[in-house]
Amino acid sequence: MVKDKSNVVLVTGATGGIGKSIVNKYSQQGFTLAIADKDEEQANKLVHEINHGNGKAMAFPGDLLDQNYCDRLANEVQKKLGSIDILINNAGLMRRGDITQTSDEDYDLSMKINVEAPFRLIRAAIPLMAEAGGGSIVNVSSCWGINPGPNHLIYCTTKAALAAMTKCLGRDHAHQNIRINAVCPNEVNTPMLRTGFEIRGLNPDDAIEELNQSVPIGHIAEPEEIANVVSFLSSDEARYICGSLVEINGGKAVY
């Protein structure tokens, strides 16, 4: 649980659309950022931006497919920055298609990035947080993990696993003053979403405008709107929220 603004926040997938917004949100509040991303160049660039903007950050580049990297990351952050108070499991992978279109590679990569990596990171972080008297973990799941949508079999499966993991962990570690929750966004205006449209031969701006019309609140989420909820869940204002799945969907349900 957040106690002051000197705490250290570890964010995975930190240079992506949602990740960068999460990083900026915490930096603006005076937190120290541990930037974890497989793109070392972009991680170092983000650290440079933060440190030259009166913030504090350090890069911890690595591949979440590497079990040793996942197992060691929390300890490395504590060793170099003094603590690990908040963990944001933001990195994720989306592969589309029904089960007949899902390859072994789709399955393996999705399970390793969306499920195994958060499992390993959390397993390593919990003893450190418990010894320090508490902490907060926020996983980025999905509305599609709560109410699965069509033709995203492996994505929905892995995000459902992360949601179930969150609820179990929230119960199991509340007594250690470690609060574990998840945000569950629907569509978010990120480079990953736009790239997905381009791969399918669609104009991203037109496709997003069409999506906007399907959302009761009037638009799909911007990354900053996800970051705001992530930050809230790790704050003392949310000190009684534990093991919860918070949908961020603008009123748009998944059918």
Side-chain angles (χ1 to χ4, degrees):
M1 195 179 297
V2 179
K3 299 172 184 175
D4 56 52
K5 293 187 178 181
S6 64
N7 288 347
V8 175
V9 185
L10 168 59
V11 182
T12 67
T15 70
I18 295 175
K20 191 170 184 179
S21 290
I22 291 171
V23 166
N24 289 334
K25 179 70 176 182
Y26 280 108
S27 181
Q28 291 163 8
Q29 297 177 76
F31 292 92
T32 299
L33 275 301
I35 305 299
D37 201 283
K38 68 177 180 179
D39 190 327
E40 185 170 359
E41 181 180 351
Q42 289 300 314
N44 287 327
K45 180 181 177 181
L46 182 55
V47 166
H48 178 81
E49 291 173 0
I50 293 170
N51 289 339
H52 282 74
N54 297 319
K56 183 178 180 182
M58 181 179 292
F60 294 84
D63 192 340
L64 293 177
L65 294 174
D66 181 349
Q67 294 177 344
N68 290 328
Y69 170 73
C70 294
D71 291 340
R72 295 195 303 259
L73 184 55
N75 283 281
E76 283 295 308
V77 170
Q78 177 162 283
K79 179 180 177 181
K80 293 181 178 179
L81 295 178
S83 67
I84 175 170
D85 305 283
I86 299 170
L87 167 61
I88 312 298
N89 281 307
N90 166 69
L93 177 72
M94 177 185 284
R95 292 293 173 91
R96 297 174 175 84
D98 64 27
I99 195 166
T100 64
Q101 299 167 318
T102 302
S103 67
D104 288 352
E105 180 191 28
D106 292 333
Y107 178 87
D108 289 339
L109 285 176
S110 298
M111 291 297 294
K112 287 176 180 177
I113 297 296
N114 295 353
V115 183
E116 183 178 345
F119 166 81
R120 290 182 176 276
L121 288 161
I122 293 169
R123 185 174 64 180
I126 280 178
L128 303 178
M129 291 180 174
E131 185 177 2
S136 180
I137 298 171
V138 182
N139 297 320
V140 179
S141 180
S142 172
C143 289
W144 288 58
I146 300 175
N147 299 292
N151 299 317
H152 285 68
L153 179 277
I154 194 60
Y155 179 74
C156 293
T157 298
T158 57
K159 288 301 186 178
L162 185 57
M165 187 190 306
T166 298
K167 295 177 76 171
C168 291
L169 289 166
R171 175 197 60 208
D172 289 349
H173 299 282
H175 71 283
Q176 294 171 297
N177 196 34
I178 301 173
R179 294 189 302 101
I180 303 168
N181 297 289
V183 293
C184 301
N186 206 324
E187 295 102 344
V188 184
N189 186 9
T190 63
M192 184 172 75
L193 181 70
R194 289 176 172 272
T195 299
F197 286 133
E198 291 174 353
I199 290 173
R200 285 176 281 171
L202 302 172
N203 179 291
D205 289 335
D206 292 342
I208 287 174
E209 180 55 35
E210 184 176 343
L211 275 180
N212 287 340
Q213 295 174 20
S214 72
V215 184
I217 208 169
H219 65 88
I220 65 172
E222 292 297 326
E224 294 79 8
E225 293 172 308
I226 309 304
N228 288 340
V229 182
V230 170
S231 174
F232 166 71
L233 286 174
S234 70
S235 74
D236 275 346
E237 293 179 335
R239 59 186 172 271
Y240 203 68
I241 301 177
C242 192
S244 293
L245 308 176
V246 181
E247 294 190 59
I248 313 173
N249 59 16
K252 179 181 177 180
V254 179
Y255 298 103

